[in-house]
Amino acid sequence: MSTAAVHSLWTTAADPISKFQAPKIEYGQLSPTLIVIGAALVGVLIEAFVPRKSRYYAQVFISVVALAAAFAAVVALAAGGYGTTKAHIAAMGALAVDGPSLFLQGTILLAGLLGVFTFAERRLDPEAHGNRVDSFAAQAASAPGSESEKAAVKAGFTTTEAFPLLLFAVGGMLVFPSANDLLTLFVALEVFSLPLYLLCALARRKRLMSQEASVKYFLLGAFASAFTLFGIALLYGYAGSVSYATIAQVVDGTVANVDPALANTMGNDALLLVGAAMIVMGLLFKVAAVPFHMWTPDVYQGAPTPVTGFMAAATKVAAFGALLRLLYVVLPGMRWDWRPVMWAVAIVTMLGGAIVAITQTDIKRLLAYSSIAHAGFILAGVIATTQNGVSSVLFYLAAYSFVTIGAFAVVTLVRDAGGEATHLSKWAGLGRRSPLAAAVFAVFLLAFAGIPLTSGFAGKFAVFKAAAEGGAIPLVVIGVISSAIAAFFYIRVIVLMFFSEPRPEGPTVAVPSPLTLTAIGVGVAVTLVLGVAPQYFLDLASQASVFVR
Amino acid sequence: MENLIALLIAAPLLGAAVLLCGGRRLDAVGHWLGTLLAGLSFVLGVVLFTDMLGKAAGQRAVTQHLFSWIPVAGFQADVTFRLDQLSMTFVLLITGVGSLIHLYSVGYMEHDERRRRFFGYLNLFLAAMLLLVLADNYLLLYVGWEGVGLASYLLIGFWQHKPSAATAAKKAFLVNRVGDMGLSIAIMLMFTTFGTFAFVPVLHSADSAGEGKLTAIGLMLLLAACGKSAQVPLQSWLGDAMEGPTPVSALIHAATMVTAGVYLIVRSGAIFNAAPDAQLVVTVVGAVTLLFGAIVGCAKDDIKKALAGSTMSQIGYMVLAAGLGPIGYIFAIMHLVTHGFFKAGLFLGAGSVMHGMNDEVDMRRYGGLRTYMPVTFVTFGLGYLAIIGFPGLSGFFSKDKIIEAAFAKGGAEGWILGGAALLGAAITAYYMTRVMIMTFFGEKRWQPDEQGNEPHPHESPGVMTIPMIVLAVGSVFAGGFFSIGDRFVHWLEPVTGHAEGNSPVSAMTVTVATLVLLVVGAGIAYAQYGRRPVLAVAPRGSLLTRAARRDLLQDDFNHVVLVRGGEHLTRSLVYVDHTLVDGVVNGTAASVGGLSGRLRRLQNGFARSYAVSMFGGAAVLVALTLLMRAV
């Protein structure tokens, strides 16, 4: 190397200030995410410095305040026009602030808030050694059944880390649907996945099952992430950029050549097709679409039920948001390639989820398969590739997440000596013993089944309408058939609850604190309001359905 | 002024709502409130009537548009009321007779602890019946039609603790259902033919539709009329409907509701005029029913059932007249009004008798009541004279016109229909004389009831006798008032149209023949029941008598043909359902379930197999994406 070259390197390195461009960050527009992540960090500090007795209260307080503040920030941004006229790409092209982002962020934040309520529930389990306990293990690190576990229980430990973990997960989920380049997408994916893996392992009861679920989720999640990452690499090779906008332009053929170093690979359609398929596969894993769904029943069953409810609702919202942006912003130019593939996925997902759910005997597994079938219904809306498709998916996600959290919250109430009584046979005659709880659960089941006057009907109608307008009539027909199959097992649970004789040693319905009651009450209220008067919310979703490019 | 029309309906509707929802605290005043609102409706009716009289004959029809009921493109259903001479006639009849019967019920239901509810139902009936006759379109008429059906059901079964009453209510409801089907089909046919079901456009453009379609609509309307007006073949419910309290029998099952079928046919006159085949069927139904009802009325010992047979027969006259077309429409309505007076009066009289006789209904246990109940005797007697067509009284004028019109139909049909109507007049005289003699004349035949209570016949209180007197006045003078100077014809002509019949026999001949037959009929009855003692237990009687006692085997016929047939049909449908339909359904369910069980096994709990499935899925996904591009 010549001296001049060395000198040039030195001077370049030594004079960074004049060349360095400070990134322009729109803190105000990113405030929802920043608030949540900041609160999560504070939560970590609380774990380190606040006395054990006060941690629970401090964590619940900070979580609720942060999520509420973030939601307020989302509402303020939406009111300020960032969802419509002022929508743009912030943080140097990393994040999109637009209608779908804000709508989904609002939904995730509300789901997170209700999730915190169910996490914080401490009245369901009997007190252990004079200490109130929640659904989480006394000390996650102690081996199940070991002496150290007993000591931890006796000492009244609780895993208050669950709250910052939830906040981190929510933070990642907020970024996920608004990520505007592939790297941000991947980072967000990992940011929300890792806390969820941990949360799954924290069950107080049936800890081995919980840990098994966690490990499975982690292994398979890592496997899926690898695919996604590989797909990202291939797309970079194809487009020479990870930015959504640039990739879209290359796909459309409006930009031919970006990076001379990639001249050999750029524009190679094989890279595009394989890379896109692999990224999509990673997202389909998160939404639990067949055949990437097999973790769902095991994880839903093993995880602590409040975690299941939160995860089932929020993950689905975030992942479908990311999938929508990917398909509508990055890959609209190759929709003739991905549409048939997604058709196939939607069909096997709808049918697979509904059919396998029929023979389930555990209520949590049943709801897991139901969530798979719902992923299929939502995919039908995604495939529409119209603005109505986007708005119907947004509406469906909002409706679905409240029903899901509410339903799992009811599951936490039905208990016997061994904790939650999730085996379906134990639910026989619940309607005679606790008519209110059974009626509320019946409302949720009817919403899942898509019976009119519940949000499920409005949502299903919207996605099927969008799909039919998008030319996917056969998909709608299969969707309706799957709905009919699915209605069977939902109604079967209702029949079981109301028209079977109660078992003598059957479970009882615990009286929860106002926290869980709020979660369930909001769930019922939203389910009925969206079912009876959906128009306002459909309009809202419709206004929020334009992606910024 | 036309804005008052809705109030006609609103007043009794409000009464029904208040009385049925008001609860016990209204028990003390409920009956007066109900009567007051019925009376208010009558006063409104009179106000509107005087207003209408002040206008020229051509401008009397007014409408009130209340609101758009179902405003859908291509399907316009409005809540609009139409008050013309025809509906005015009904309004006055319904509210007038209705108010009187409300008043009568105050006394009749005095000891019934559910009296408030009874008045609520009566008010509901008035509202529904007024809606029926005031509707400006067939759909709204249908609402009223169903409303009166509901009220009728509730009131027949008012004493629901009696199984017979509950069964009778159910029977009336079910038989009416058949007729209601007819009406709904007729309305659908109208909509497909004319694109609307409002009276004016349908009836004005009736000629433009094909005769086949009009015949179908007409026959369906006739089916509806048969159900509501108890015409053959849907007559079987009326006799059993007498299980209801007597004021109900008087108001609903004699004076007003059962005449709704006649209203429907006359209102739809334009359709029938253009469908002669349907008209012929209408006349046949009317003629058959008038004889059927009269024969049944001859054999019944239950005073209310005898009167029910008579009602059926008289409505048969009206339907016959309505089927004759423009020569008969007005006389159908005229007979309807006069019948409203005298039949309501007769029923109230029967109720008064029952009231004084511990609710005994068997005429073989009456006898000689004229001295015990003079007012009832006189009013009932005037009603009796009116119905048999005693010269100068109401029935004489209205029935005579129908018989003349029947002959005027012309040809063999005219002779057959006219002959049937004449024969009916003779039988009417016979059975009514029989009722009169068995009830008020002859020996006292009453006996202690099961508890050993000797009846103490007595005159009813003033609230009951006053309505009877008013109705008796109507029974005497209404017919003459209507007929002198053809007042009624001129009144209704702008709505229904009118044509003078061209009778092969002179009016005088018909009148004389009628009177002769009247004397013959009454004379036979006198010979059988007046000259000879009435047996306390009915004799076995001839085959016809026994058949007539069983309502000419109507229930046996229905049982064998409809019930058995229905059962067979149901059984075979159930068989098909169980084997074929359920087979397919259960088979599908079983195969889905089996598939579910098999797929479930893929979920084996091993993370490694899940990973393999994901890998396979990803491979397929990638391959499919590439394949799509290749294709």
Side-chain angles (χ1 to χ4, degrees), chain B residues 314-341:
Chain B
Q314 298 301 315
I315 298 173
Y317 274 105
M318 301 170 208
V319 171
L320 168 62
L324 295 172
I327 57 171
Y329 290 141
I330 291 177
F331 302 126
I333 299 297
M334 187 159 113
H335 193 55
L336 192 157
V337 175
T338 56
H339 174 255
F341 283 115

PDB file of all heavy atoms in Angstrom, chain B residues 314-341:
ATOM      1  N   GLN B 314    -124.099 -17.136   7.587  1.00  0.00           N
ATOM      2  CA  GLN B 314    -124.333 -15.755   7.149  1.00  0.00           C
ATOM      3  C   GLN B 314    -123.128 -15.207   6.399  1.00  0.00           C
ATOM      4  O   GLN B 314    -123.279 -14.472   5.427  1.00  0.00           O
ATOM      5  CB  GLN B 314    -124.651 -14.855   8.351  1.00  0.00           C
ATOM      6  CG  GLN B 314    -125.912 -15.245   9.102  1.00  0.00           C
ATOM      7  CD  GLN B 314    -127.147 -15.229   8.212  1.00  0.00           C
ATOM      8  OE1 GLN B 314    -127.345 -14.287   7.451  1.00  0.00           O
ATOM      9  NE2 GLN B 314    -127.940 -16.284   8.278  1.00  0.00           N
ATOM     10  N   ILE B 315    -121.936 -15.570   6.873  1.00  0.00           N
ATOM     11  CA  ILE B 315    -120.753 -15.102   6.138  1.00  0.00           C
ATOM     12  C   ILE B 315    -120.711 -15.780   4.779  1.00  0.00           C
ATOM     13  O   ILE B 315    -120.244 -15.208   3.792  1.00  0.00           O
ATOM     14  CB  ILE B 315    -119.475 -15.352   6.958  1.00  0.00           C
ATOM     15  CG1 ILE B 315    -119.557 -14.560   8.257  1.00  0.00           C
ATOM     16  CG2 ILE B 315    -118.241 -14.906   6.205  1.00  0.00           C
ATOM     17  CD1 ILE B 315    -118.447 -14.857   9.199  1.00  0.00           C
ATOM     18  N   GLY B 316    -121.211 -17.013   4.723  1.00  0.00           N
ATOM     19  CA  GLY B 316    -121.356 -17.670   3.426  1.00  0.00           C
ATOM     20  C   GLY B 316    -122.172 -16.805   2.465  1.00  0.00           C
ATOM     21  O   GLY B 316    -121.797 -16.645   1.298  1.00  0.00           O
ATOM     22  N   TYR B 317    -123.280 -16.220   2.971  1.00  0.00           N
ATOM     23  CA  TYR B 317    -124.056 -15.300   2.133  1.00  0.00           C
ATOM     24  C   TYR B 317    -123.186 -14.163   1.616  1.00  0.00           C
ATOM     25  O   TYR B 317    -123.234 -13.794   0.447  1.00  0.00           O
ATOM     26  CB  TYR B 317    -125.209 -14.688   2.943  1.00  0.00           C
ATOM     27  CG  TYR B 317    -126.463 -15.529   2.961  1.00  0.00           C
ATOM     28  CD1 TYR B 317    -126.824 -16.245   4.080  1.00  0.00           C
ATOM     29  CD2 TYR B 317    -127.279 -15.577   1.833  1.00  0.00           C
ATOM     30  CE1 TYR B 317    -127.979 -17.013   4.094  1.00  0.00           C
ATOM     31  CE2 TYR B 317    -128.430 -16.342   1.841  1.00  0.00           C
ATOM     32  CZ  TYR B 317    -128.785 -17.055   2.967  1.00  0.00           C
ATOM     33  OH  TYR B 317    -129.908 -17.813   2.975  1.00  0.00           O
ATOM     34  N   MET B 318    -122.382 -13.595   2.566  1.00  0.00           N
ATOM     35  CA  MET B 318    -121.571 -12.433   2.167  1.00  0.00           C
ATOM     36  C   MET B 318    -120.551 -12.831   1.105  1.00  0.00           C
ATOM     37  O   MET B 318    -120.342 -12.111   0.120  1.00  0.00           O
ATOM     38  CB  MET B 318    -120.827 -11.857   3.371  1.00  0.00           C
ATOM     39  CG  MET B 318    -121.729 -11.400   4.495  1.00  0.00           C
ATOM     40  SD  MET B 318    -120.719 -11.023   5.940  1.00  0.00           S
ATOM     41  CE  MET B 318    -121.879 -11.335   7.244  1.00  0.00           C
ATOM     42  N   VAL B 319    -119.897 -13.989   1.325  1.00  0.00           N
ATOM     43  CA  VAL B 319    -118.882 -14.425   0.363  1.00  0.00           C
ATOM     44  C   VAL B 319    -119.535 -14.695  -0.978  1.00  0.00           C
ATOM     45  O   VAL B 319    -119.003 -14.327  -2.040  1.00  0.00           O
ATOM     46  CB  VAL B 319    -118.143 -15.661   0.898  1.00  0.00           C
ATOM     47  CG1 VAL B 319    -117.255 -16.258  -0.172  1.00  0.00           C
ATOM     48  CG2 VAL B 319    -117.318 -15.286   2.118  1.00  0.00           C
ATOM     49  N   LEU B 320    -120.725 -15.323  -0.920  1.00  0.00           N
ATOM     50  CA  LEU B 320    -121.467 -15.565  -2.164  1.00  0.00           C
ATOM     51  C   LEU B 320    -121.689 -14.241  -2.893  1.00  0.00           C
ATOM     52  O   LEU B 320    -121.402 -14.118  -4.089  1.00  0.00           O
ATOM     53  CB  LEU B 320    -122.805 -16.231  -1.827  1.00  0.00           C
ATOM     54  CG  LEU B 320    -123.840 -16.297  -2.941  1.00  0.00           C
ATOM     55  CD1 LEU B 320    -123.307 -17.117  -4.111  1.00  0.00           C
ATOM     56  CD2 LEU B 320    -125.136 -16.925  -2.433  1.00  0.00           C
ATOM     57  N   ALA B 321    -122.147 -13.245  -2.147  1.00  0.00           N
ATOM     58  CA  ALA B 321    -122.423 -11.949  -2.772  1.00  0.00           C
ATOM     59  C   ALA B 321    -121.137 -11.337  -3.313  1.00  0.00           C
ATOM     60  O   ALA B 321    -121.111 -10.789  -4.419  1.00  0.00           O
ATOM     61  CB  ALA B 321    -123.063 -11.009  -1.755  1.00  0.00           C
ATOM     62  N   ALA B 322    -120.045 -11.460  -2.528  1.00  0.00           N
ATOM     63  CA  ALA B 322    -118.781 -10.869  -2.966  1.00  0.00           C
ATOM     64  C   ALA B 322    -118.288 -11.554  -4.231  1.00  0.00           C
ATOM     65  O   ALA B 322    -117.614 -10.935  -5.055  1.00  0.00           O
ATOM     66  CB  ALA B 322    -117.738 -10.963  -1.864  1.00  0.00           C
ATOM     67  N   GLY B 323    -118.629 -12.842  -4.374  1.00  0.00           N
ATOM     68  CA  GLY B 323    -118.184 -13.559  -5.564  1.00  0.00           C
ATOM     69  C   GLY B 323    -118.982 -13.193  -6.802  1.00  0.00           C
ATOM     70  O   GLY B 323    -118.600 -13.537  -7.916  1.00  0.00           O
ATOM     71  N   LEU B 324    -120.098 -12.501  -6.609  1.00  0.00           N
ATOM     72  CA  LEU B 324    -120.942 -12.176  -7.759  1.00  0.00           C
ATOM     73  C   LEU B 324    -120.411 -10.976  -8.523  1.00  0.00           C
ATOM     74  O   LEU B 324    -120.923 -10.641  -9.586  1.00  0.00           O
ATOM     75  CB  LEU B 324    -122.367 -11.888  -7.292  1.00  0.00           C
ATOM     76  CG  LEU B 324    -123.089 -13.088  -6.666  1.00  0.00           C
ATOM     77  CD1 LEU B 324    -124.404 -12.645  -6.058  1.00  0.00           C
ATOM     78  CD2 LEU B 324    -123.325 -14.165  -7.702  1.00  0.00           C
ATOM     79  N   GLY B 325    -119.408 -10.303  -7.962  1.00  0.00           N
ATOM     80  CA  GLY B 325    -118.849  -9.157  -8.673  1.00  0.00           C
ATOM     81  C   GLY B 325    -119.606  -7.888  -8.320  1.00  0.00           C
ATOM     82  O   GLY B 325    -120.255  -7.812  -7.277  1.00  0.00           O
ATOM     83  N   PRO B 326    -119.523  -6.889  -9.192  1.00  0.00           N
ATOM     84  CA  PRO B 326    -120.098  -5.571  -8.884  1.00  0.00           C
ATOM     85  C   PRO B 326    -121.581  -5.634  -8.519  1.00  0.00           C
ATOM     86  O   PRO B 326    -122.062  -4.748  -7.810  1.00  0.00           O
ATOM     87  CB  PRO B 326    -119.886  -4.782 -10.172  1.00  0.00           C
ATOM     88  CG  PRO B 326    -118.725  -5.443 -10.816  1.00  0.00           C
ATOM     89  CD  PRO B 326    -118.802  -6.887 -10.471  1.00  0.00           C
ATOM     90  N   ILE B 327    -122.295  -6.672  -8.970  1.00  0.00           N
ATOM     91  CA  ILE B 327    -123.710  -6.715  -8.576  1.00  0.00           C
ATOM     92  C   ILE B 327    -123.858  -7.127  -7.117  1.00  0.00           C
ATOM     93  O   ILE B 327    -124.921  -6.958  -6.533  1.00  0.00           O
ATOM     94  CB  ILE B 327    -124.545  -7.658  -9.488  1.00  0.00           C
ATOM     95  CG1 ILE B 327    -123.963  -9.065  -9.465  1.00  0.00           C
ATOM     96  CG2 ILE B 327    -124.621  -7.129 -10.894  1.00  0.00           C
ATOM     97  CD1 ILE B 327    -124.869 -10.066 -10.171  1.00  0.00           C
ATOM     98  N   GLY B 328    -122.794  -7.645  -6.514  1.00  0.00           N
ATOM     99  CA  GLY B 328    -122.967  -8.155  -5.156  1.00  0.00           C
ATOM    100  C   GLY B 328    -122.130  -7.482  -4.089  1.00  0.00           C
ATOM    101  O   GLY B 328    -122.455  -7.556  -2.914  1.00  0.00           O
ATOM    102  N   TYR B 329    -121.032  -6.803  -4.491  1.00  0.00           N
ATOM    103  CA  TYR B 329    -120.091  -6.278  -3.493  1.00  0.00           C
ATOM    104  C   TYR B 329    -120.797  -5.482  -2.406  1.00  0.00           C
ATOM    105  O   TYR B 329    -120.596  -5.698  -1.205  1.00  0.00           O
ATOM    106  CB  TYR B 329    -119.042  -5.369  -4.144  1.00  0.00           C
ATOM    107  CG  TYR B 329    -118.051  -6.097  -5.026  1.00  0.00           C
ATOM    108  CD1 TYR B 329    -117.606  -5.533  -6.218  1.00  0.00           C
ATOM    109  CD2 TYR B 329    -117.539  -7.340  -4.649  1.00  0.00           C
ATOM    110  CE1 TYR B 329    -116.698  -6.188  -7.030  1.00  0.00           C
ATOM    111  CE2 TYR B 329    -116.631  -7.996  -5.466  1.00  0.00           C
ATOM    112  CZ  TYR B 329    -116.219  -7.415  -6.650  1.00  0.00           C
ATOM    113  OH  TYR B 329    -115.331  -8.067  -7.429  1.00  0.00           O
ATOM    114  N   ILE B 330    -121.620  -4.538  -2.843  1.00  0.00           N
ATOM    115  CA  ILE B 330    -122.195  -3.618  -1.867  1.00  0.00           C
ATOM    116  C   ILE B 330    -123.147  -4.355  -0.937  1.00  0.00           C
ATOM    117  O   ILE B 330    -123.183  -4.101   0.271  1.00  0.00           O
ATOM    118  CB  ILE B 330    -122.886  -2.450  -2.595  1.00  0.00           C
ATOM    119  CG1 ILE B 330    -121.786  -1.607  -3.254  1.00  0.00           C
ATOM    120  CG2 ILE B 330    -123.716  -1.615  -1.637  1.00  0.00           C
ATOM    121  CD1 ILE B 330    -122.292  -0.478  -4.067  1.00  0.00           C
ATOM    122  N   PHE B 331    -123.870  -5.364  -1.512  1.00  0.00           N
ATOM    123  CA  PHE B 331    -124.816  -6.089  -0.656  1.00  0.00           C
ATOM    124  C   PHE B 331    -124.069  -6.998   0.313  1.00  0.00           C
ATOM    125  O   PHE B 331    -124.538  -7.242   1.424  1.00  0.00           O
ATOM    126  CB  PHE B 331    -125.813  -6.856  -1.517  1.00  0.00           C
ATOM    127  CG  PHE B 331    -126.574  -5.948  -2.437  1.00  0.00           C
ATOM    128  CD1 PHE B 331    -126.623  -6.171  -3.797  1.00  0.00           C
ATOM    129  CD2 PHE B 331    -127.193  -4.810  -1.918  1.00  0.00           C
ATOM    130  CE1 PHE B 331    -127.299  -5.302  -4.630  1.00  0.00           C
ATOM    131  CE2 PHE B 331    -127.867  -3.946  -2.740  1.00  0.00           C
ATOM    132  CZ  PHE B 331    -127.916  -4.183  -4.108  1.00  0.00           C
ATOM    133  N   ALA B 332    -122.896  -7.472  -0.125  1.00  0.00           N
ATOM    134  CA  ALA B 332    -122.078  -8.254   0.803  1.00  0.00           C
ATOM    135  C   ALA B 332    -121.732  -7.406   2.018  1.00  0.00           C
ATOM    136  O   ALA B 332    -121.874  -7.835   3.164  1.00  0.00           O
ATOM    137  CB  ALA B 332    -120.801  -8.739   0.119  1.00  0.00           C
ATOM    138  N   ILE B 333    -121.290  -6.169   1.740  1.00  0.00           N
ATOM    139  CA  ILE B 333    -120.892  -5.308   2.858  1.00  0.00           C
ATOM    140  C   ILE B 333    -122.108  -4.897   3.672  1.00  0.00           C
ATOM    141  O   ILE B 333    -122.076  -4.819   4.901  1.00  0.00           O
ATOM    142  CB  ILE B 333    -120.152  -4.052   2.328  1.00  0.00           C
ATOM    143  CG1 ILE B 333    -118.893  -4.471   1.570  1.00  0.00           C
ATOM    144  CG2 ILE B 333    -119.791  -3.119   3.468  1.00  0.00           C
ATOM    145  CD1 ILE B 333    -117.860  -5.168   2.403  1.00  0.00           C
ATOM    146  N   MET B 334    -123.234  -4.677   2.989  1.00  0.00           N
ATOM    147  CA  MET B 334    -124.423  -4.272   3.723  1.00  0.00           C
ATOM    148  C   MET B 334    -124.867  -5.390   4.664  1.00  0.00           C
ATOM    149  O   MET B 334    -125.180  -5.154   5.839  1.00  0.00           O
ATOM    150  CB  MET B 334    -125.543  -3.939   2.746  1.00  0.00           C
ATOM    151  CG  MET B 334    -126.757  -3.356   3.404  1.00  0.00           C
ATOM    152  SD  MET B 334    -127.714  -2.469   2.191  1.00  0.00           S
ATOM    153  CE  MET B 334    -129.163  -3.499   2.118  1.00  0.00           C
ATOM    154  N   HIS B 335    -124.841  -6.603   4.144  1.00  0.00           N
ATOM    155  CA  HIS B 335    -125.231  -7.723   5.005  1.00  0.00           C
ATOM    156  C   HIS B 335    -124.225  -7.882   6.146  1.00  0.00           C
ATOM    157  O   HIS B 335    -124.582  -8.222   7.270  1.00  0.00           O
ATOM    158  CB  HIS B 335    -125.317  -9.014   4.191  1.00  0.00           C
ATOM    159  CG  HIS B 335    -125.992 -10.139   4.918  1.00  0.00           C
ATOM    160  ND1 HIS B 335    -127.252 -10.025   5.446  1.00  0.00           N
ATOM    161  CD2 HIS B 335    -125.580 -11.397   5.227  1.00  0.00           C
ATOM    162  CE1 HIS B 335    -127.588 -11.158   6.041  1.00  0.00           C
ATOM    163  NE2 HIS B 335    -126.587 -12.017   5.931  1.00  0.00           N
ATOM    164  N   LEU B 336    -122.966  -7.592   5.813  1.00  0.00           N
ATOM    165  CA  LEU B 336    -121.924  -7.668   6.827  1.00  0.00           C
ATOM    166  C   LEU B 336    -122.232  -6.723   7.983  1.00  0.00           C
ATOM    167  O   LEU B 336    -122.117  -7.078   9.160  1.00  0.00           O
ATOM    168  CB  LEU B 336    -120.591  -7.314   6.159  1.00  0.00           C
ATOM    169  CG  LEU B 336    -119.276  -7.563   6.876  1.00  0.00           C
ATOM    170  CD1 LEU B 336    -118.180  -7.669   5.838  1.00  0.00           C
ATOM    171  CD2 LEU B 336    -118.933  -6.464   7.842  1.00  0.00           C
ATOM    172  N   VAL B 337    -122.657  -5.499   7.637  1.00  0.00           N
ATOM    173  CA  VAL B 337    -122.913  -4.522   8.693  1.00  0.00           C
ATOM    174  C   VAL B 337    -124.150  -4.912   9.496  1.00  0.00           C
ATOM    175  O   VAL B 337    -124.121  -4.936  10.731  1.00  0.00           O
ATOM    176  CB  VAL B 337    -123.069  -3.114   8.089  1.00  0.00           C
ATOM    177  CG1 VAL B 337    -123.445  -2.124   9.171  1.00  0.00           C
ATOM    178  CG2 VAL B 337    -121.779  -2.690   7.418  1.00  0.00           C
ATOM    179  N   THR B 338    -125.238  -5.248   8.793  1.00  0.00           N
ATOM    180  CA  THR B 338    -126.454  -5.597   9.541  1.00  0.00           C
ATOM    181  C   THR B 338    -126.201  -6.857  10.367  1.00  0.00           C
ATOM    182  O   THR B 338    -126.622  -6.956  11.520  1.00  0.00           O
ATOM    183  CB  THR B 338    -127.642  -5.828   8.588  1.00  0.00           C
ATOM    184  OG1 THR B 338    -127.271  -6.836   7.644  1.00  0.00           O
ATOM    185  CG2 THR B 338    -128.008  -4.557   7.856  1.00  0.00           C
ATOM    186  N   HIS B 339    -125.483  -7.797   9.785  1.00  0.00           N
ATOM    187  CA  HIS B 339    -125.145  -9.009  10.523  1.00  0.00           C
ATOM    188  C   HIS B 339    -124.329  -8.660  11.755  1.00  0.00           C
ATOM    189  O   HIS B 339    -124.506  -9.238  12.818  1.00  0.00           O
ATOM    190  CB  HIS B 339    -124.369  -9.965   9.616  1.00  0.00           C
ATOM    191  CG  HIS B 339    -123.854 -11.189  10.302  1.00  0.00           C
ATOM    192  ND1 HIS B 339    -122.529 -11.335  10.631  1.00  0.00           N
ATOM    193  CD2 HIS B 339    -124.472 -12.310  10.743  1.00  0.00           C
ATOM    194  CE1 HIS B 339    -122.357 -12.490  11.239  1.00  0.00           C
ATOM    195  NE2 HIS B 339    -123.508 -13.119  11.310  1.00  0.00           N
ATOM    196  N   GLY B 340    -123.417  -7.668  11.590  1.00  0.00           N
ATOM    197  CA  GLY B 340    -122.638  -7.225  12.733  1.00  0.00           C
ATOM    198  C   GLY B 340    -123.543  -6.820  13.878  1.00  0.00           C
ATOM    199  O   GLY B 340    -123.298  -7.163  15.032  1.00  0.00           O
ATOM    200  N   PHE B 341    -124.597  -6.126  13.558  1.00  0.00           N
ATOM    201  CA  PHE B 341    -125.522  -5.707  14.622  1.00  0.00           C
ATOM    202  C   PHE B 341    -126.263  -6.894  15.219  1.00  0.00           C
ATOM    203  O   PHE B 341    -126.211  -7.141  16.415  1.00  0.00           O
ATOM    204  CB  PHE B 341    -126.559  -4.711  14.065  1.00  0.00           C
ATOM    205  CG  PHE B 341    -126.009  -3.332  13.879  1.00  0.00           C
ATOM    206  CD1 PHE B 341    -125.897  -2.757  12.629  1.00  0.00           C
ATOM    207  CD2 PHE B 341    -125.605  -2.599  14.987  1.00  0.00           C
ATOM    208  CE1 PHE B 341    -125.386  -1.490  12.467  1.00  0.00           C
ATOM    209  CE2 PHE B 341    -125.102  -1.319  14.831  1.00  0.00           C
ATOM    210  CZ  PHE B 341    -124.988  -0.773  13.573  1.00  0.00           C
TER     211      PHE B 341
END
